[in-house]
Amino acid sequence: MGIVLAVLLIAGVAGAVALGRDNGGSGDSGTAAKTVRGVIGSEKAEFFADPDTVKALAAKGFTVRTETSGSWAMDRLPLKGYDFAFPGSKAPADELRRGAESQGGPLRPFYSPLVVVAHRNAAEVLADNGLARLRADGGSKFTTQGTLLMEPYLTAAEDDRTWQQLKGASGHAELSGTVFITSTDPVTSNSGALYLAAASYVADGGRVATDEKAVARTAPLLRKLVQVQGAQQTSSDAPFRDFISGVGNPLVLVYESQVASLLMSSQRQEVGDLVVLYPDTTVSSDHTLVPLTDHGRELGELLSTDPGLRKLAVRHGFRPQGAAAEFSAATAEHTAYIDQRLTGVRQAPVPTAEVLRSMARRARG
């Protein structure tokens, strides 16, 4: 009897181990677990850290470990052992693909246009001086959305215009010094580099820079846009949080996704006198995943096609590629701030990575 029981016990343990292997050790999932490592832009950190995103990925057999970096600094990282890199746009992704062995072409699951967040007093002064145009409706007691007129704004920047020189600013003590938009370091950060791309395009008469001669034409203006700011952050997260907290510069360049995510958050904090200004000429940030392994590629395809993950990306403010209706439905209650159709917004072409890097270096001096 003892021998029989021992044989049955051994058989039971072997069966349990085999079942665990078939289920990837998870007990109730038929998908083998894959742990993938990636480096991402900080603007996507909350999406990947969201417990619902973690759960949705686990249901598909993925455990994702991420580290953050400025998009333009990723190509200088030792990427051996990573499964994917996920910068904020195509240009740094192209740089990564040249320096690493990628598994096929890049994937662009979602995107977000650049916007300028402004405090109401600053937005109204800009509008009164022809640098912005504010929307009169939107169901809000106050103006909460408008358009930044890039050409007049850049002219003001070139002339070193101060708030004190603008009519209507004298009654607002917080509006002083040179008028400028806080942006991130263009040498390391995607949003800062794309800001220069849009500014260069407008300043050079609607021409995208293609060589050093073109870069030189707008370099003095771009240098003013950057150097007036002093020290710059490598991520748009910190300046945006400072703005919402009521400190820092009254004009800050951020991703629309940061604003939309804040508005849609279940634990939404007060947005105060926030006004969202859509530049009339801007650049959309196509978040571009570069697969470095087969598992990285599988993850990129999943983010692009899985309805549940797309819905979660929208919840974090991103616009899924080719699915405007999903974003419109999710932001329907927030159209006072969010321009769902990007009305009157022109997309500036982005220079090559090499030209954009040169532009950023010259702007930094």
Side-chain angles (χ1 to χ4, degrees):
M1 179 65 72
I3 293 172
V4 171
L5 288 173
V7 170
L8 290 174
L9 179 60
I10 292 169
V13 170
V17 170
L19 181 62
R21 285 176 181 160
D22 290 342
N23 287 336
S26 61
D28 61 355
S29 170
T31 305
K34 308 178 188 77
T35 298
V36 297
R37 289 183 64 211
V39 57
I40 62 172
S42 62
E43 69 285 340
K44 294 179 283 288
E46 289 189 1
F47 166 69
F48 279 104
D50 186 332
D52 289 336
T53 303
V54 173
K55 184 177 179 181
L57 287 168
K60 299 294 182 179
F62 282 91
T63 298
V64 180
R65 310 288 185 204
T66 61
E67 300 168 26
T68 60
S69 167
S71 292
W72 283 97
M74 287 183 187
D75 67 325
R76 296 194 289 274
L77 297 175
L79 293 175
K80 187 179 174 95
Y82 287 86
D83 296 283
F84 69 96
F86 205 171
S89 67
K90 178 180 180 296
D94 289 343
E95 288 276 275
L96 284 163
R97 290 183 67 204
R98 278 195 286 272
E101 293 185 9
S102 63
Q103 298 299 309
L107 301 110
R108 301 181 184 90
F110 41 73
Y111 68 99
S112 182
L114 291 171
V115 299
V116 174
V117 290
H119 292 300
R120 186 177 302 119
N121 289 340
E124 290 176 348
V125 170
L126 291 180
D128 289 343
N129 289 270
L131 306 182
R133 185 171 54 246
L134 300 181
R135 196 176 80 171
D137 57 9
S140 173
K141 182 179 177 182
F142 302 103
T143 297
T144 52
Q145 187 192 126
T147 303
L148 178 71
L149 305 178
M150 283 291 284
E151 192 168 348
Y153 168 72
L154 292 175
T155 298
E158 194 162 31
D159 294 341
D160 300 315
R161 195 85 55 85
T162 65
W163 286 105
Q164 291 90 333
Q165 292 173 321
L166 301 183
K167 64 180 181 182
S170 58
H172 307 292
E174 73 279 10
L175 301 180
S176 63
T178 305
V179 178
F180 69 89
I181 294 170
T182 292
S183 61
T184 53
D185 181 354
V187 173
T188 59
S189 171
N190 182 64
S191 59
L194 294 185
Y195 174 45
L196 297 187
S200 170
Y201 180 78
V202 173
D204 206 19
R207 290 181 290 180
V208 60
T210 57
D211 53 30
E212 284 299 313
K213 187 176 180 181
V215 171
R217 284 198 296 268
T218 60
L221 170 61
L222 301 188
R223 193 173 299 117
K224 283 191 174 187
L225 295 179
V226 169
Q227 295 189 352
V228 70
Q229 301 180 46
Q232 291 178 290
Q233 300 276 357
T234 58
S235 161
S236 60
D237 184 60
F240 182 59
R241 291 183 186 278
D242 286 346
F243 176 88
I244 294 299
S245 300
V247 298
N249 194 41
L251 304 172
V252 180
L253 184 83
V254 300
Y255 294 106
E256 180 198 58
S257 58
Q258 293 172 281
V259 179
S261 177
L262 179 67
L263 295 170
M264 291 187 285
S265 171
S266 59
Q267 299 178 336
R268 176 181 165 186
Q269 67 185 96
E270 193 59 46
V271 297
D273 62 350
L274 169 70
V275 178
V276 182
L277 299 175
Y278 286 79
D280 58 5
T281 302
T282 189
V283 175
S284 283
S285 179
D286 290 317
H287 296 279
T288 305
L289 187 146
V290 178
L292 304 174
T293 66
D294 289 338
H295 285 170
R297 179 156 202 87
E298 289 176 43
L299 175 65
E301 291 171 348
L302 195 60
L303 293 173
S304 301
T305 60
D306 183 76
L309 286 166
R310 287 167 68 91
K311 185 176 181 179
L312 286 166
V314 169
R315 192 168 82 184
H316 284 272
F318 299 108
R319 294 176 181 247
Q321 293 285 2
E326 294 178 39
F327 183 80
S328 295
T331 58
E333 296 180 10
H334 308 292
T335 53
Y337 295 95
I338 301 298
D339 184 351
Q340 296 176 323
R341 297 184 180 182
L342 300 178
T343 309
V345 175
R346 178 174 59 163
Q347 288 291 323
V350 180
T352 64
E354 183 180 358
V355 170
L356 202 51
R357 272 200 189 281
S358 175
M359 198 177 285
R361 286 194 297 267
R362 282 176 175 252
R364 280 282 300 274

